[in-house]
Amino acid sequence: MPFDVNTAPDTGVTDSIPPLSRGDIGQTQRRAYAALDLGTNNCRLLIARPARGGFYVVDAFSRIVRLGEGLLETGRLSDAAQDRAVAALKACAEKIRRRGVWVSRNVATEACRRASNRDAFVDRVFAETGIALDVISPEEEARLAVLGCQTLLDRSGGHALVFDIGGGSTEIILVEIGAGGRERIVSWASVPWGVVSLTETEPTHFETAQEREAAYERMIARVTEHLAGAREHLHPPCSPEALQLLGTSGTITTLASLHLGLAHYDRRRVDGCSVPAAALREVGVSLSRMAHAERAALACIGNERADLIIAGCAILDAILAMFPAREVCVADRGIREGILRTLMRRDGHRL
């Protein structure tokens, strides 16, 4: 069912502070808001304050925790994965405390949605860190991702396809941009492959480039099988030339960095840039032929992402083959920014 991007079902905030009255807003510009996103692979936090037409970040945190490691096989969050996540969340809780955050929302996504022991994990997190995790639905995840990226969309009208390649799943959202640039989610699909789940299903550690490329093709085929059903559900009502594509994830920002030839990651160069779709696919194929050590030596990838980047490239390749477009807009923003915009608008700030 279509729904307005800006209409939040439930903020899921961790306190009962009522929305601010219009007269209070000017006195609270320096209040800090926090958004925490615990995914299958990463734990990320943003703390920001409202500013004219948006917000400015005062603190941030990001750590690879691989919460979903082994989940596909066991259906449970392992003790080691939980320990890594809790350690990261303790660091987040300290930042939230130190910055005097006014209100926060802390969401968990696919790994917690799938895990049979998610309730015990959520209870443990609250007991050890004081952070109340909200395990959100794929629909809410899609809405927040679009809300976080909406300022990068061409507001002149038409349709956009926004995709978020996560650790345990990939969300694909068809957005209609109406009069006045107001976005409406027409339909969305959640594909049950992310960089962690796909990597665990299809190993890529082979001796030869030919074997590695064959594994990459098998990854693409797995994703394409699920995307075929998603395309029937999404069915963009316009030609490929008229469809905007916007991607948000570590995969696409990394590939954009490599395409731009950056010596190190630079968000100012990457966020909002447009990259030819063909170039993104070419970089993916090139990486798939490399050995793990070769990918790890690339400054924008490093050892922690060297294995997962191949699965991300395969998912991206399948999306671009199914939804062809000349260019892809790259977003280094998403769920956390969507949460911040929701919380600040709730308190009457104009963003």
Side-chain angles (χ1 to χ4, degrees):
M1 179 180 294
F3 58 94
D4 194 304
V5 171
N6 300 283
T7 303
D10 180 0
T11 59
V13 294
T14 59
D15 62 18
S16 57
I17 298 170
L20 301 177
S21 67
R22 189 170 298 276
D24 295 331
I25 293 170
Q27 302 171 22
T28 60
Q29 286 295 115
R30 293 193 58 77
R31 279 180 173 158
Y33 295 74
L36 187 150
D37 173 17
L38 179 62
T40 303
N41 192 48
N42 291 284
C43 176
R44 293 177 291 189
L45 171 73
L46 273 186
I47 300 175
R49 292 192 175 100
R52 186 183 299 274
F55 55 81
Y56 65 96
V57 174
V58 297
D59 210 341
F61 176 90
S62 180
R63 182 183 297 175
I64 293 175
V65 296
R66 300 207 179 193
L67 180 60
E69 188 174 60
L71 176 63
L72 206 61
E73 182 179 352
T74 67
R76 295 175 57 82
L77 302 175
S78 71
D79 291 343
Q82 289 188 52
D83 290 345
R84 290 193 297 268
V86 169
L89 290 168
K90 285 180 178 178
C92 292
E94 173 58 22
K95 283 181 176 286
I96 289 170
R97 184 197 63 77
R98 198 155 29 88
R99 292 290 183 177
V101 167
W102 160 250
V103 65
S104 70
R105 188 182 186 191
N106 317 298
V107 305
T109 55
E110 186 69 8
C112 286
R113 283 197 293 263
R114 288 191 188 186
S116 62
N117 59 339
R118 79 172 190 185
D119 291 342
F121 172 66
V122 169
D123 290 344
R124 177 188 172 186
V125 167
F126 185 71
E128 296 189 27
T129 72
I131 289 175
L133 286 176
D134 176 16
V135 182
I136 60 174
S137 67
E139 179 180 32
E140 174 67 351
E141 184 177 355
R143 188 191 72 84
L144 289 172
V146 174
L147 184 58
C149 298
Q150 66 181 166
T151 56
L152 295 180
L153 294 172
D154 182 349
R155 301 300 186 85
S156 60
H159 289 81
L161 199 74
V162 179
F163 58 89
D164 182 2
I165 302 172
S169 65
T170 296
E171 315 308 320
I172 306 176
I173 310 108
L174 180 63
V175 180
E176 179 183 75
I177 304 168
R182 191 167 183 85
E183 301 90 357
R184 185 177 70 111
I185 292 180
V186 178
S187 57
W188 61 274
S190 183
V191 178
W193 291 116
V195 296
V196 174
S197 54
L198 190 56
T199 298
E200 291 185 352
T201 302
E202 189 64 64
T204 58
H205 292 274
F206 294 102
E207 291 297 320
T208 68
Q210 290 76 15
E211 289 175 304
R212 293 190 286 268
E213 191 171 0
Y216 183 62
E217 293 297 332
R218 290 193 295 272
M219 282 182 166
I220 293 173
R222 284 182 186 274
V223 179
T224 300
E225 183 180 351
H226 285 90
L227 273 179
R231 194 190 194 294
E232 289 300 313
H233 179 63
L234 293 165
H235 196 63
C238 61
S239 66
E241 294 77 16
L243 182 67
Q244 298 181 53
L245 249 63
L246 188 150
T248 170
S249 68
T251 293
I252 195 162
T253 55
T254 298
L255 295 188
S257 298
L258 294 171
H259 170 73
L260 294 170
L262 302 182
H264 55 83
Y265 186 75
D266 184 348
R267 185 182 186 274
R268 293 170 299 178
R269 296 278 307 276
V270 172
D271 184 49
C273 76
S274 290
V275 180
L280 290 171
R281 297 179 76 179
E282 287 170 9
V283 173
V285 171
S286 176
L287 291 174
S288 75
R289 294 175 179 148
M290 295 180 185
H292 182 278
E294 292 176 292
R295 295 193 299 271
L298 297 173
C300 293
I301 296 180
N303 190 58
E304 282 191 316
R305 296 183 181 274
D307 56 346
L308 300 180
I309 190 65
I310 298 305
C313 290
I315 295 168
L316 177 60
D317 191 287
I319 291 171
L320 296 179
M322 191 70 66
F323 302 97
R326 289 179 185 166
E327 291 187 329
V328 180
C329 181
V330 178
D332 185 353
R333 58 181 81 186
I335 291 173
R336 294 172 302 165
E337 288 81 0
I339 291 172
L340 289 173
R341 295 175 76 86
T342 300
L343 294 179
M344 291 177 188
R345 284 175 176 173
R346 166 185 174 269
D347 282 346
H349 296 287
R350 299 187 181 211
L351 305 180

